Amino acid sequence: MSTAGARPLAVLLVGAGRIGQVHAAGLAAHPDTVLTLVIDVVEAAAAAVADRYGAAHGTDALEALASGEIDACVVCSPTPTHTEVVDAALRRGIPVLCEKPLDLDVRRAADLLREHPPADRPPAMIGFNRRFDPHFAACRARVRAGEIGPVEQLVIISRDPAPPPAGYLAGSGGIFRDMMIHDLDMARFFVPEIVRVTASGSAVFSRGIAELGDADTAVAVLEGARGEQVVITNSRHCSYGYDQRLEVSGPLGTLTVGNPLPTTVEASGPAGCGRADPCEPFFLERYRDAYAAELHRFVRAVRGEEAGSPGLEDGLAASVLAEAATRSAAEGRRVEVAELVAEIRTGIGAEPTAAAAGRKGGQA
């Protein structure tokens, strides 16, 4: 990899779907990156994004990584391709930012870490963009500063405005691996070492989701190593927009993060008092600033100016928790995280265990 002084980084974008288009816009806007090449197995999709930003396009990610013309790679392709592309990038010394999760199979994610231990790889980040949301980040900074004392309880609410398309859901890995994984990482952001998980999921409103054997509504209760309690609530629909809230409590008080609204205007009248705008319509609007901050962190990591966090270890740790939640919901029991770690230990070696990965997490 070459970054040749202040020359902007030549970045390969793998995947031209919805999240790929978010990153394409961010790369085009960042002063230190050039969107050089867009890859998608659907050539028309790659061409459409590439043409918008003056980049080249193609259909073969591995060939692009071998070209010698790429300084960094952003992976937004379908989840089953993630580990292959990340592995190929790291083997060539190319820094990578990969959307979550690393893999639907936690063992494949563990294998990737075994092949590429931290000391032997270029910067490698996982796309948990919510750590970079200014509201959540400010809350977490105040917790770390001791404002409320040690964390005792954490409540995370995440509701999508509507379910994704059936075609997406069929290959998503289920609500815990696909949707709740962001909240599981956010739990680790505040409570780094989670030791047990109890979860349940049900199809309350969507026949299509039920037919897939998935849940449209889910709750998980996590316990930290110090006894901290974390409650996560997920729903695949929400009548008032994209609902993203958080509350964290300790012996000295409580910090709350509400939904940022488009305006601060409130209306009062016969229909009610204090009526405000609906929530932002979806993640693209709610986390616009977070995506920009995440990309900036990645660029600084590639330049050697800052640590690349959240890293692959954070991706693995969140996947372990998602696997624990999936197992808990399926089997109707509490799952010890150590139980899963023991099952995949041969795939990740002595480090990182899920707990060790938890202690390494939360540096964003």
Side-chain angles (χ1 to χ4, degrees), residues 328-343:
S328 174
E331 300 178 3
R333 65 180 180 90
R334 184 174 69 180
V335 173
E336 300 287 330
V337 173
E339 170 190 329
L340 283 172
V341 171
E343 292 180 10

Side-chain angles (χ1 to χ4, degrees), residues 4-346:
R7 175 177 64 80
L9 301 170
V11 182
L12 165 67
L13 177 68
V14 182
R18 181 172 59 182
I19 192 62
Q21 293 173 44
V22 171
H23 284 295
L27 290 165
H30 197 284
D32 206 16
T33 61
V34 174
L35 178 58
T36 302
L37 180 59
V38 179
I39 296 294
D40 198 289
V41 294
V42 180
E43 187 171 9
V49 174
D51 290 349
R52 191 178 309 154
Y53 300 107
H57 72 273
T59 58
D60 191 326
L62 303 187
E63 181 179 290
L65 289 166
S67 69
E69 301 174 356
I70 299 301
D71 294 323
C73 177
V74 178
V75 181
C76 308
S77 49
T79 297
T81 69
H82 285 183
T83 50
E84 180 183 23
V85 177
V86 172
D87 176 66
L90 296 182
R91 287 185 185 281
R92 294 186 177 277
I94 298 174
V96 61
L97 168 61
C98 180
E99 276 300 321
K100 63 80 189 169
L102 284 172
D103 201 281
L104 292 179
D105 184 343
V106 70
R107 291 161 186 80
R108 282 174 55 86
D111 287 343
L112 182 70
L113 268 69
R114 181 188 60 190
E115 292 295 322
H116 301 283
D120 299 335
R121 69 179 184 234
M125 288 177 54
I126 190 76
F128 286 134
N129 64 291
R130 294 183 191 181
R131 294 186 181 215
F132 298 93
D133 173 70
H135 310 283
F136 292 151
C139 181
R140 196 254 193 169
R142 291 169 67 166
V143 170
R144 287 174 67 86
E147 183 172 332
I148 63 170
V151 173
E152 295 176 347
Q153 291 185 315
L154 173 65
V155 178
I156 301 171
I157 296 171
S158 181
R159 298 186 177 106
D160 285 353
Y168 174 89
L169 286 168
S172 71
I175 193 169
F176 299 106
R177 297 187 186 96
D178 173 61
M179 181 178 178
M180 190 179 285
I181 194 167
H182 273 295
D183 305 300
L184 294 167
D185 179 71
M186 186 55 55
R188 293 185 58 251
F189 198 41
F190 285 85
V191 182
E193 192 171 348
I194 303 296
V195 297
R196 55 188 58 91
V197 178
T198 306
S200 65
S202 55
V204 177
F205 63 86
S206 172
R207 179 178 298 178
I209 290 177
E211 290 173 351
L212 292 171
D214 197 2
D216 55 41
T217 307
V219 175
V221 179
L222 319 179
E223 185 176 331
R226 294 179 47 258
E228 307 99 312
Q229 296 177 332
V230 181
V231 179
I232 299 172
T233 299
N234 278 183
S235 175
R236 289 286 196 186
H237 74 173
C238 182
S239 63
Y240 48 87
Y242 189 48
D243 189 7
Q244 301 282 288
R245 289 175 283 149
L246 180 151
E247 179 183 281
V248 57
S249 299
L252 304 181
T254 295
L255 295 169
T256 302
V257 179
N259 286 307
L261 302 178
T263 76
T264 59
V265 175
E266 292 188 355
S268 296
C273 295
R275 290 180 292 113
D277 290 344
C279 297
E280 295 284 9
F282 206 20
F283 75 94
L284 299 175
E285 296 82 10
R286 171 64 177 82
Y287 290 118
R288 183 183 296 109
D289 292 343
Y291 280 113
E294 175 188 64
L295 175 61
H296 188 62
R297 167 63 67 84
F298 178 57
V299 171
R300 289 177 63 85
V302 175
R303 292 297 196 196
E305 300 170 359
E306 198 165 359
S309 175
L312 299 187
E313 287 73 24
D314 297 297
L316 174 60
S319 289
V320 169
L321 295 181
E323 193 70 23
T326 301
R327 183 175 297 189
S328 174
E331 300 178 3
R333 65 180 180 90
R334 184 174 69 180
V335 173
E336 300 287 330
V337 173
E339 170 190 329
L340 283 172
V341 171
E343 292 180 10
I344 63 174
R345 186 176 298 276
T346 56

